[in-house]
Amino acid sequence: MHTRTLGQGLQVSAIGLGAMGMSQGYGPNPGDRDDMIGVLRYAVEQAGVTFIDTAEVYGPYVNEELVGEALAPVRDQVVIATKFGWNIVDGKMSGTDSRPEQIKRVADASLRRLRTDVIDLFYQHRVDPDVPIEDVAGTVGELVQAGKVRHFGLSEAGAATIRRAHAVHPVTAVQSEYSLWTRDPEPEVLPTCAELGIGFVPFSPLGKGFLTGTVAASTEFAAGDIRGTIPRFNAENITANEALVGHVRGLADTKGATPGQIALAWLLAQHPWIVPIPGTRRRNRIDENSGSTQVALSADEVADLDALAARVGVQGNRYNDAGMAMVGL
């Protein structure tokens, strides 16, 4: 596994690992916690993954606890990213909360759950319209000065917000959904990151599983699977979107790769400061995702994939209406 550098000199593996699905989001949680700990350690010790992503709201709290326990023996080998920014009431999100005092409370609690003395990368999970981003950046800057946080990040923020935050405290990474069928960051966010020297971390780089070719119109999502609430994953839209993944599968077949590896290789080819964080609960998927770094795409193949979404069309929003209202602020 080769490495890449996010803004402000944060060196990480070229492919990271999103841990959310080990605790929520994709149907019934795994019954064996020890197995998930094993998957996390396998990613680090066998696949060379050094960038692990979690958040206080995943669970809530239990995903940080899982990551903390799993990575304690290899803490010096990994970069751990977590997130703040929600008001969590009785175990459920109840709007955003990025007030300075809340950010500091979350940092202390996350440090305890992660069993560490410093958070490598601390993201604002969603922009809080009630708290100026300058106050958020300044508060994280205080945590950096206190030695509790190393780097500041933003998730799903718009370009103007990124600029305002960066002017107060350097932003190391912006995390947003980005993949062959979610191209929202391209017009404004990616050029802003390039200009300011900020790294970019795509989550759901495999389209929540769609770009692996394993989701069809006949797929029935289990209770608790977030895809059942996303317009893009209703049967009609999946049928319309199958042309996109069919094209990716065709290219994969010519290269002896999987569709997921092509999707990740395309992201890696966009910029040297992009680091995708696909999530999985399986060791074989860790190996498959890591193997995408060995898939070479020609300039013509990259250009063809660049135009794919516009050429074949993508049907359905990537979140429900409430989710869409919280991105790009």
Side-chain angles (χ1 to χ4, degrees), residues 231-242:
R232 194 170 288 183
F233 282 93
N234 70 40
E236 181 179 352
N237 286 334
I238 286 178
T239 298
N241 292 325
E242 283 179 340

Side-chain angles (χ1 to χ4, degrees), residues 37-256:
I37 289 173
V39 171
L40 282 160
R41 290 182 183 166
Y42 178 88
V44 177
E45 296 173 336
Q46 303 300 319
V49 175
T50 65
F51 188 31
I52 310 296
D53 182 272
T54 183
E56 63 151 358
V57 79
Y58 299 160
Y61 312 129
V62 296
N63 195 250
E64 283 187 326
E65 292 169 351
L66 175 72
V67 168
E69 181 177 350
L71 300 183
V74 292
R75 179 64 182 97
D76 60 346
Q77 301 175 43
V78 295
V79 169
I80 299 176
T82 192
K83 310 177 192 77
F84 64 88
W86 297 107
N87 180 28
I88 301 173
V89 179
D90 295 330
K92 296 182 180 180
M93 289 186 297
S94 181
T96 53
D97 187 353
S98 282
R99 292 172 299 152
E101 61 269 27
Q102 173 71 355
I103 296 172
K104 292 176 181 179
R105 281 196 295 267
V106 172
D108 287 339
S110 291
L111 286 167
R112 289 193 297 271
R113 288 188 290 267
L114 292 168
R115 305 188 184 190
T116 187
D117 57 1
V118 63
I119 296 167
D120 297 307
L121 176 57
F122 204 31
Y123 291 105
Q124 183 188 41
H125 210 153
R126 290 293 185 274
V127 173
D128 187 339
D130 295 325
V131 179
I133 196 64
E134 290 82 1
D135 293 352
V136 174
T139 301
V140 176
E142 292 175 11
L143 291 169
V144 172
Q145 288 295 317
K148 295 181 178 182
V149 170
R150 288 197 173 107
H151 295 272
F152 173 38
L154 298 170
S155 180
E156 292 280 20
T161 298
I162 295 167
R163 290 181 182 279
R164 288 169 54 198
H166 191 72
V168 174
H169 186 85
V171 176
T172 292
V174 171
Q175 178 184 126
S176 296
E177 186 170 356
Y178 185 37
S179 69
L180 277 169
W181 78 340
T182 298
R183 310 292 286 277
D184 307 38
E186 291 180 342
E188 296 183 355
V189 170
L190 290 180
T192 299
C193 289
E195 176 189 340
L196 300 178
I198 298 171
F200 189 82
V201 178
F203 69 81
S204 297
L206 299 175
K208 295 181 171 64
F210 183 77
L211 296 172
T212 66
T214 59
V215 178
S218 59
T219 300
E220 295 184 5
F221 298 113
D225 191 320
I226 56 174
R227 292 173 293 185
T229 70
I230 295 174
R232 194 170 288 183
F233 282 93
N234 70 40
E236 181 179 352
N237 286 334
I238 286 178
T239 298
N241 292 325
E242 283 179 340
L244 186 146
V245 77
H247 185 89
V248 176
R249 184 184 292 109
L251 178 58
D253 289 344
T254 69
K255 291 185 168 293

Side-chain angles (χ1 to χ4, degrees), residues 222-310:
D225 191 320
I226 56 174
R227 292 173 293 185
T229 70
I230 295 174
R232 194 170 288 183
F233 282 93
N234 70 40
E236 181 179 352
N237 286 334
I238 286 178
T239 298
N241 292 325
E242 283 179 340
L244 186 146
V245 77
H247 185 89
V248 176
R249 184 184 292 109
L251 178 58
D253 289 344
T254 69
K255 291 185 168 293
T258 66
Q261 287 177 327
I262 295 297
L264 292 172
W266 173 79
L267 280 170
L268 293 172
Q270 295 304 299
H271 298 285
W273 35 265
I274 284 181
V275 179
I277 50 167
T280 187
R281 301 171 175 176
R282 302 175 184 174
R283 290 168 175 81
N284 66 317
R285 291 294 190 193
I286 297 282
D287 291 335
E288 178 183 338
N289 295 340
S290 298
S292 65
T293 62
Q294 305 303 313
V295 176
L297 298 175
S298 70
D300 286 345
E301 289 164 342
V302 171
D304 176 66
L305 292 169
D306 285 348
L308 181 59

Side-chain angles (χ1 to χ4, degrees), residues 7-49:
Q8 320 310 317
L10 183 60
Q11 190 174 78
V12 296
S13 54
I15 298 289
L17 173 61
M20 183 191 80
M22 294 180 177
S23 299
Q24 70 170 54
Y26 290 92
N29 293 336
D32 191 342
R33 176 187 173 88
D34 288 342
D35 186 46
M36 292 300 95
I37 289 173
V39 171
L40 282 160
R41 290 182 183 166
Y42 178 88
V44 177
E45 296 173 336
Q46 303 300 319
V49 175

